[in-house]
Amino acid sequence: MSSQPSAPHTPATHSQPHRRYLQEALKLAHEAQAAGSSPVGAVLVDAGGEIVFRGRNRVGEAQTAEHVGDASVSHAEMDVFFQAGKLEDPGSLTLYTSLEPCLMCGGASALLQLGRLVWATDDAWGGAGRLIAWADHPAMQETEVVACPEADLEQEGAVLFAPEAKRAFPDEGWKLWQQRYPAETAGVD
């Protein structure tokens, strides 16, 4: 770790509502699912409200020149970060994702010092918030965290991801999903 002071933090200031960006992240989650990957999508938005990068889970896909694929780190958020490369003024950026980030993606968001992190749907098992309190994590002190600001989009994301949660998570994880989203997980085989 460097002892040099970090650049001044410029908070994410765009005043656009969260809805449009979460809808785009969910659209990308559907694309990931159609391509054979886990249904998770993400977008990075600048201070002016412009989507500057789009990403989706690519774990089940071949690697390309533009996207890291066929690797367990090919999560939607990491797809965005690998496309973006070195970020200028990361505190002015907002990451929107369809599902609460895992420890890897949440940690990367913190290390990049993003200004804001917003997700549509909680991940009762795989989300970093199950293991650490977002607001208490030292690296997240400058990052505004907004969980599930749109109830209908939260439900859409939960319905979309529930079959993956049932398939991928151990019994304990699936039970947590059923407790958090009982209606959305009902009937998932």
Side-chain angles (χ1 to χ4, degrees):
M1 301 219 78
S2 170
S3 61
Q4 296 178 354
S6 60
H9 176 68
T10 306
T13 57
H14 68 83
S15 60
Q16 304 296 324
H18 300 303
R19 183 171 198 79
R20 125 176 196 220
Y21 305 112
L22 291 173
Q23 286 174 319
E24 182 66 17
L26 285 162
K27 177 181 156 233
L28 290 161
H30 283 282
E31 288 179 17
Q33 184 180 51
S37 289
S38 294
V40 183
V43 296
L44 193 62
V45 178
D46 69 14
E50 187 79 23
I51 295 174
V52 291
F53 293 99
R54 290 170 169 80
R56 60 181 174 78
N57 190 295
R58 295 175 183 278
V59 172
E61 301 174 41
Q63 186 164 324
T64 68
E66 297 85 24
H67 301 282
V68 174
D70 195 28
S72 56
V73 297
S74 302
H75 292 191
E77 300 89 345
M78 299 307 285
D79 187 28
V80 165
F81 297 150
F82 284 125
Q83 288 177 66
K86 184 165 176 57
L87 298 174
E88 299 296 323
D89 193 18
S92 69
L93 302 172
T94 301
L95 178 68
Y96 287 90
T97 183
S98 62
L99 188 68
E100 178 184 3
C102 69
L103 281 173
M104 175 181 66
C105 297
S109 299
L111 290 171
L112 292 170
Q113 300 177 328
L114 297 181
R116 184 181 302 133
L117 176 59
V118 183
W119 61 82
T121 304
D122 286 336
D123 185 346
W125 174 256
R130 182 176 76 85
L131 302 172
I132 60 170
W134 285 98
D136 293 342
H137 192 284
M140 293 297 284
Q141 296 306 303
E142 298 296 321
T143 302
E144 177 187 1
V145 176
V146 181
C148 311
E150 302 280 343
D152 62 321
L153 298 181
E154 178 182 11
Q155 180 183 23
E156 179 183 341
V159 167
L160 178 63
F161 195 79
E164 177 68 13
K166 168 87 169 145
R167 183 196 67 73
F169 297 152
D171 292 337
E172 177 186 356
W174 179 238
K175 287 177 186 167
L176 288 172
W177 261 80
Q178 290 175 307
Q179 289 169 3
R180 176 67 177 94
Y181 293 110
E184 294 82 355
T185 57
V188 174
D189 296 324

